[in-house]
Amino acid sequence: MEPVLAADPYGWLATSLQTIHRAHWHRSVQPLEGLPGPVVIAQGQPLVNFASNDYLGLAGDPRLQAAAIAAIQQYGTGSTGSRLLSGHRPLHRQLEKALADLKGTADAIVFSSGYLANVGTITALVGQRDLILSDQYNHASLINGAKLSGATVLDYRHGDTQHLRAQLTQHRQQYRRCLILTDSVFSMDGDLCPLPAILALAEQFATMVLVDEAHGTGILGPTGAGGVEHLGCRGRPLIQMGTLSKALGSLGGYVAGSAELIDFLRNRASSWIYTTGLTPAATAAACRALEIVQSEPARRDRLQQHIHTLTAGLDALLAHPSPHSPFGKRFPSDSPILCIEVTNASTVMALKQRLMAQGLFLSAVRPPTVPTSRLRITLMATHTPEHLDKLLGALAAVAAAEDCDGGMG
Ligand SMILES: *Cc1c(COP(=O)(O)O)cnc(C)c1O
């Protein structure tokens, strides 16, 4: 019998959107004007920016702009082809060498985004006969790369190396290769992975490890090399990936590791082979950013000072909340990402709006991105002490508020 078909094959979209709205999960974009920085303009209003990944304040830096402009004048706006065909420029190799230098690895490869770096690398390294063990709070690009690879994927509890060990003990032997995936700095929490313990397990169980340094590169470690350096794991056998689009103020992703690994990826990573090479402008800006990361450690120091100040301030204001405070705990953090738990998704959205009316721009993060709603604050080296005072003042008023439920139904 022929099935009875609905008249409109796209009709389900409206129904789906209604469901998303009802759950307070609907998202939309917010245009910002002007250069990125600690203060941005939205709808003509200046906002102190606590929602950017531009941790070192480099995305608007005149030196990166000048490098990008010079590259455009020399090489044009597009790279015109994939790296293996017509899209390879001397600038790409220069950037890859600089990344390998920073990371202390034999080589590196740049992708068009961090997302593509994860998807391409994971799908190249493992397949149906293999096992992936993945921290439950990993970034979506790791999760989706794992799914696409066709490997068996098991999540382990966040940061829980006992659980990871149990899974390795139970399952490792049934598979050919095994790959552990973890963020170094978890993007929606701000805490670090227990990398030394993970590497010890990896050695014991003959397992590869890919660590995502998207929020570590340029920020953590004595030379700004990232969480791997900060956690004393430089030089260990490891696949380090990251992005050029956060602390490095540009666009693109990379993988750093052994010469064999990088050569293999050039031959097997589809998201590198079948896509256009990074633009000359993005490549040159990232190169300039890496020089600044190395020559201006004071930026990292200032960022660390801001982390101390804000952490102490948040802990003071969360210590004795009013009974009506919408805030729960502060999430443990070792990074410029600081999050405060908020009772539910509609409250966190209302809070974001209220803070915006006071000239503060924060992220409201909700399910399904995270299990519990939270206000997410990211710090920049270029914030001033006054910016932090303003934020703490506004959050203290919220924590002491009498009218939270009425004002934020
Ligand atoms: C941002 C991010 C990525 C993706 O990087 P893009 O260059 O923006 O595609 C990957 N992993 C983590 C943990 C991230 O935060």
Side-chain angles (χ1 to χ4, degrees), residues 54 72 76 96 101 105 129 158 181 258 271 274 281 357 372 382:
D54 182 21
I72 287 174
E96 288 169 343
D101 266 3
T105 58
R129 295 159 63 192
H158 176 55
L181 301 177
S258 72
S271 67
Y274 300 106
T372 52
T382 43

Side-chain angles (χ1 to χ4, degrees), residues 79-156:
S79 61
T80 78
S82 83
R83 292 279 299 282
L84 290 174
L85 296 174
S86 61
H88 181 66
R89 303 286 173 275
L91 274 178
H92 291 124
R93 217 37 212 147
Q94 195 185 317
L95 175 58
E96 288 169 343
K97 295 268 186 231
L99 283 162
D101 266 3
L102 178 73
K103 298 285 175 175
T105 58
D107 205 352
I109 178 172
V110 293
F111 289 74
S112 302
S113 77
Y115 196 110
L116 290 171
N118 272 335
V119 168
T121 303
I122 297 166
T123 54
L125 293 176
V126 291
Q128 289 184 351
R129 295 159 63 192
D130 305 319
L131 175 66
I132 287 176
L133 295 168
S134 178
D135 187 290
Q136 72 177 127
Y137 287 179
N138 275 342
H139 189 259
S141 55
L142 291 168
I143 295 168
N144 291 337
K147 277 188 200 152
L148 264 179
S149 74
T152 299
V153 184
L154 299 175
D155 283 358
Y156 60 89

Side-chain angles (χ1 to χ4, degrees), residues 156-166 168 194-195 197-198 201:
Y156 60 89
R157 285 190 293 272
H158 176 55
D160 186 342
T161 48
Q162 292 306 323
H163 192 208
L164 175 59
R165 172 189 290 280
L168 283 165
L195 193 60
I198 290 173
L201 287 173

